[in-house]
């Protein structure tokens, strides 16, 4: 085995640490950060493990898991949590990455116990952290780094989890009490949102990942941002034509049908668009053709002849997504006509081996056709200059930065923007009549045309870069089209267009232990969620709780039930319900008089700290982490109620009754704050809490100004409404039923039967030697698949092959290939 690492790479450091811990023997090859060692990848990747079977294993976590498995060590829950924690918690700044990594690695390097999270705050405060980033970069030997780290003073080891309280200083506690006492005095009532939203200093949100965008927009409105949220259905292209053919409708009819379906789904999910539009409009044609002519007149479009795959049976040229074959680079058997999902390389469809039309499964032929190309190389210097400015001043996720830079590192190539299709925005040039614009040239222009359908003043949004900050939200596979292709189109048009300032991309969300697949019926899609009878707010909560921000994550029915029953029902709902019920039952539905003690002010300080963290995180679009601040507050609140026991003190004397009133009053005010913080995540639950507490309209705006301040919004004497439970338990039977319903067709791996009677049992040393190598290589394949968390059916098939090889090996060694029956074991 060979392990390729680069010096100073924190992920490589983790892999080296686990390699040393497990004692796995492998050749360690150091290489520069920009050196390509994997032939079928277009960009350098570190770390990479080359297995004896010739396969490559990428990314730190799968390699670490492989080392643990091959060394025979159990991969316990804490180990998995530690591995996952690294990807989820590391900050983007390089120095913080190295500091946190050092904190996570120390128990491993010093042979201490594994911890799922590590005393981040204490480590961050150590003087050594000022130099540790530099030291990590300098250490070329794990042993020298280990010696350096072991000399440093350790803070008390403590797992940093949601239950761990941050110690508040006396200054913070007193400041929290002073802030609380200000209340809502002189706080104006928020203005009602009026359409169309006027174009002043503003934030423009265009989205493919609508739930993420909705959370961020709702938060922005609480912060007083002048924001416009637009999205729509991308309706042109081959997919629409084929769907129309399947359902016996015209392309326009199919677009009308599914636009309504999508609008209904988003309405149920409470996605609060300012305008939800579509691309099959006159505005789309007008704006797309205008950009086309501006590019053409300025010399940024070049003609060329293209060899394309043509299906003689379907009588059409095949769009990239409707041809499939073997990748010419990595031999992956299901590569698309534009890109291989396994190795990530861009592909010209005619390069595919054994191509097939995905519609009729026939083999297409190669034909030539004239097309127009966007001259990306000619625009590359302008693009790089803009990217440098946008990435330095805006908020780009690390995967968006990496994907964009990898395109630039390989050098841009002309990109075809026309297609031989019937359903699309027509190309207006007479030499290319009968052709339409390619979807990734045309579809992003939909952001402009949808805004134009919303307001006649659309140019004040889209041709106003000095005053508009543009956010895009998407999955990572759409990044290059939003960071390279679309910006180049707008830069080349030279019409002062607004370009993206903040590009927020997620990793992939998987389903249970496999991938979502409509064709196999695996996973929950669109309106299926509504049919589960689980409220949309619970769906929103869970999807945002596991949002794949730093690495891929997986939807799990069991985990959804666990999070609903523990975090929503027993934590958040329990606290808010208790606070309101105490006021209703003990104080006739009014907020009682409050006389704050040090303990109360400490809670105010803790809550205020979480509120400020929430604001800082959402300002940086760290949506999943900000959600945990909400759960931390309700956790603090439950502990506060439990310690003070107002249900007991209410039965005592005047002093005890005053104490019970103070605890109740503070708790309902915390519940009021939670209603505001929940509004971006769970709008219906937020509205229900506000209604139950009869919360003033300006309470959220008052607490979300500036860095955030927790003030008393429900003063003594305030009357609350009827209190009722917010959440219901998800029962195990219900979850098992849903898991079966959306599990799809279960595929059973089949392996050709090889009865032991047909296996020659006489010793054959040469054959045994060969089989021993095959068993080792097949074992590597199985361990690699397990480390990558591949589909169970695939793992099962490879395990079956391994068992068969072991039987053959036993026979070649002159042993009985069948295991001896175990005596005394009951069936």
């Amino acid at each position: 085995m060979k392990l390729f690492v680069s010096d100073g790479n924190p992920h490589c450091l983790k892999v080296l640490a686990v390699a040393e811990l497990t004692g796995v023997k492998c050749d360690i090859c150091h290489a520069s950060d920009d050196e390509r060692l994997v032939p079928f990848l277009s960009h350098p990747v570190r770390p990479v493990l080359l297995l004896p079977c010739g396969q490559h294993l990428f990314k730190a976590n799968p390699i670490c898991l492989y080392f643990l498995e091959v060394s025979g060590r159990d991969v316990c829950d804490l180990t998995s949590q530690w591995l996952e924690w690294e990807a989820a918690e590391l900050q983007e700044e390089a120095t913080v990455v190295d500091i946190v990594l050092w904190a996570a690695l120390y128990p491993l390097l010093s042979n201490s116990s594994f911890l799922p999270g590590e005393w981040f705050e204490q480590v961050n405060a150590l003087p050594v952290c000022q130099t540790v980033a530099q030291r990590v970069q300098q250490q070329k030997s794990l042993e020298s780094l280990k010696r350096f780290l072991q000399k440093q003073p350790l803070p008390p080891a403590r797992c940093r989890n949601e239950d761990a309280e941050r110690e508040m200083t006396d200054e913070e506690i007193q400041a929290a009490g002073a802030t609380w006492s200000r209340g809502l005095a002189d706080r104006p009532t928020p203005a009602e949102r009026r359409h169309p939203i006027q174009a002043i200093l503003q934030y423009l949100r265009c989205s493919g990942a609508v739930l993420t965008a909705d959370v961020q927009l709702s938060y922005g409105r609480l912060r007083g941002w002048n924001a416009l949220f637009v999205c729509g259905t991308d309706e042109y292209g081959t997919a629409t034509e084929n769907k129309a053919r399947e359902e016996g409708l015209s392309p326009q009819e199919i677009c009308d049908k599914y636009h309504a379906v999508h609008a209904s789904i988003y309405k149920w999910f409470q996605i609060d668009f300012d305008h939800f539009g579509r691309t099959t409009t006159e505005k789309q044609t007008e704006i797309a053709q205008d950009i086309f002519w501006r590019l053409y007149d300025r010399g940024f479009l070049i003609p060329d002849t293209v060899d394309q795959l043509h299906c003689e049976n379907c009588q059409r040229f095949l769009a990239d997504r409707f041809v499939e074959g073997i990748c010419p680079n990595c031999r992956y058997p299901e590569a698309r006509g534009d890109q291989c999902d396994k190795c990530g390389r861009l592909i010209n469809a005619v390069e595919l081996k054994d191509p097939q039309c995905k519609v009729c499964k026939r083999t297409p032929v190669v034909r030539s056709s004239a097309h127009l190309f966007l001259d990306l190389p000619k625009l590359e210097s302008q693009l790089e200059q803009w990217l440098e400015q946008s990435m330095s001043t805006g908020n780009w996720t690390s995967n968006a930065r990496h994907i964009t830079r990898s395109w630039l590192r390989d050098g841009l190539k002309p990109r075809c923007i026309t297609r031989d299709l019937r359903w699309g925005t027509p190309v207006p040039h007479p030499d290319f009549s009968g052709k339409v614009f390619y979807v990734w040239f045309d579809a992003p222009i939909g952001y402009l045309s949808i805004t134009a359908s919303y307001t006649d003043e659309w140019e004040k949004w889209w041709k106003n870069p000095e005053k508009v900050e543009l956010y895009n939200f998407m999955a990572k596979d759409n990044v290059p089209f939003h960071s390279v292709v679309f910006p180049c189109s707008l830069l080349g048009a030279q019409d002062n267009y607004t370009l993206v300032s903040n590009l927020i991309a997620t990793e992939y969300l998987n389903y249970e232990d496999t991938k979502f697949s409509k064709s196999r019926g695996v996973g929950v899609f669109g309106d299926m969620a509504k049919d589960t009878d689980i409220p949309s707010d619970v769906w929103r909560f869970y999807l945002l709780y596991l949002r794949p921000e730093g690495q891929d994550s997986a939807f799990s029915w069991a985990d959804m039930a666990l999070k609903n029953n523990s975090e929503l029902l027993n934590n958040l709902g329990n606290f808010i319900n208790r606070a309101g019920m105490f006021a209703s039952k003990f104080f006739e539905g009014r907020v009682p008089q409050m006389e704050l003690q040090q303990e109360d002010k400490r809670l105010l300080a803790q809550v205020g700290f979480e509120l400020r963290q929430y604001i800082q995180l959402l300002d940086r679009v760290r949506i999943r982490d900000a959600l945990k601040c909400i759960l931390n507050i309700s956790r603090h609140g439950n502990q506060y109620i439990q310690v003070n026991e107002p249900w007991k003190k209410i039965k005592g004397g005047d002093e005890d009754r005053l104490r019970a009133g103070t605890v109740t009053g503070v708790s309902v005010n915390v519940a009021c704050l939670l209603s505001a913080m929940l509004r971006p995540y769970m709008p219906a639950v937020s509205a229900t809490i506000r209604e139950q507490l009869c919360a003033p309209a300006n309470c959220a705006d008052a607490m979300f100004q500036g860095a955030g301040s927790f003030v008393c919004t429900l003063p003594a004497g305030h009357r609350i409404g009827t209190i009722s439970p917010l959440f219901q338990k998800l029962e195990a039977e219900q979850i098992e039923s849903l898991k079966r319903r959306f599990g799809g067709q279960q595929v059973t791996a089949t392996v050709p039967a090889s009865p032991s009677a047909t296996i020659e049992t006489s010793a054959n040393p040469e054959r045994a030697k060969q089989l021993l190598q095959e068993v080792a290589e097949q074992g590597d394949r199985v361990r690699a698949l397990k480390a990558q968390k591949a589909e169970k059916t695939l793992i099962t098939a490879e395990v079956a092959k391994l068992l068969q090889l072991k039987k053959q090996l036993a026979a070649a060694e002159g042993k009985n290939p069948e295991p001896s029956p175990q005596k005394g074991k009951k069936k």
Side-chain angles (χ1 to χ4, degrees), residues 212-270:
T212 296
D214 185 67
V215 172
Q216 196 68 16
L217 244 296
S218 178
Y219 165 73
R221 287 166 182 152
L222 288 173
R223 297 275 281 163
W225 298 351
N226 187 63
L228 175 64
F229 183 15
V230 298
C231 189
T233 45
D234 166 27
E235 299 181 342
Y236 284 131
T238 307
T240 301
E241 288 188 21
N242 285 335
K243 191 66 176 176
R245 188 187 307 113
E246 288 174 11
E247 298 193 16
L249 300 172
S250 70
Q252 188 61 61
E253 287 172 334
I254 208 76
C255 290
D256 294 342
K257 173 182 175 179
Y258 284 100
H259 178 78
V261 169
H262 282 285
S264 174
I265 292 169
Y266 292 139
K267 183 177 180 181
W268 184 78
F269 267 103
Q270 306 171 79

Side-chain angles (χ1 to χ4, degrees), residues 132 157 174 201 287 293 349 392 502 667 696 775 785 796 817:
V132 73
Q174 296 311 312
L201 181 62
I287 296 172
W293 280 120
S392 62
N502 307 271
S667 296
V775 167
L785 289 170
T796 301

Side-chain angles (χ1 to χ4, degrees), residues 391-565:
M391 287 185 178
S392 62
T393 59
N395 186 355
W396 288 55
T397 52
S398 57
N399 57 356
R401 294 169 186 265
H402 174 75
I403 292 168
T404 302
R405 285 169 177 157
S406 69
W407 270 55
L408 292 170
R409 188 185 302 122
D410 293 341
L412 297 182
K413 299 174 179 60
R415 188 85 179 175
C416 187
I417 66 164
T418 57
R419 286 293 186 271
D420 289 297
L421 301 173
R422 293 184 284 273
W423 183 245
T425 301
V427 178
H429 196 291
D431 292 347
F432 298 89
S433 61
K435 299 183 190 292
V436 300
F437 290 132
Y438 174 47
V439 65
W440 276 116
F441 174 80
D442 184 64
I445 297 173
Y447 299 140
L448 285 67
S449 70
I450 289 169
T451 309
S453 299
Y454 168 73
T455 174
D456 292 338
E457 296 188 336
W458 69 274
E459 291 188 352
K460 292 185 178 179
W461 291 98
W462 280 103
K463 297 183 181 181
N464 198 5
E466 294 79 17
K467 291 187 177 180
V468 175
E469 190 172 347
L470 172 61
Y471 284 70
N472 282 157
F473 299 86
M474 67 202 65
K476 66 180 179 181
D477 54 340
N478 290 339
V479 165
F481 304 105
H482 287 81
S483 66
V484 176
V485 180
F486 184 43
C488 279
S489 299
L490 298 183
L491 287 167
Q494 297 176 1
D495 204 14
N496 198 38
Y497 278 109
T498 302
L499 301 178
V500 63
S501 313
N502 307 271
L503 205 159
I504 314 302
T506 61
E507 300 294 319
Y508 293 134
L509 177 66
N510 296 318
Y511 181 80
E512 295 286 353
D513 54 359
T514 183
K515 294 181 178 180
F516 282 86
S517 172
K518 282 188 177 181
S519 61
R520 292 189 291 120
V522 175
V524 186
F525 298 89
D527 55 357
M528 296 178 186
K530 184 177 181 180
D531 296 337
T532 63
D533 294 327
I534 297 174
S536 63
D537 267 8
V538 175
W539 278 104
R540 288 175 62 109
F541 166 81
Y542 183 61
L543 291 173
L544 293 165
Y545 189 95
L546 53 80
R547 182 173 181 263
E549 292 183 355
Q551 63 178 358
D552 292 355
S553 60
F555 174 94
S556 161
W557 286 107
D559 187 56
M560 184 182 194
L562 176 65
K563 296 299 187 295
N564 177 83
N565 298 343

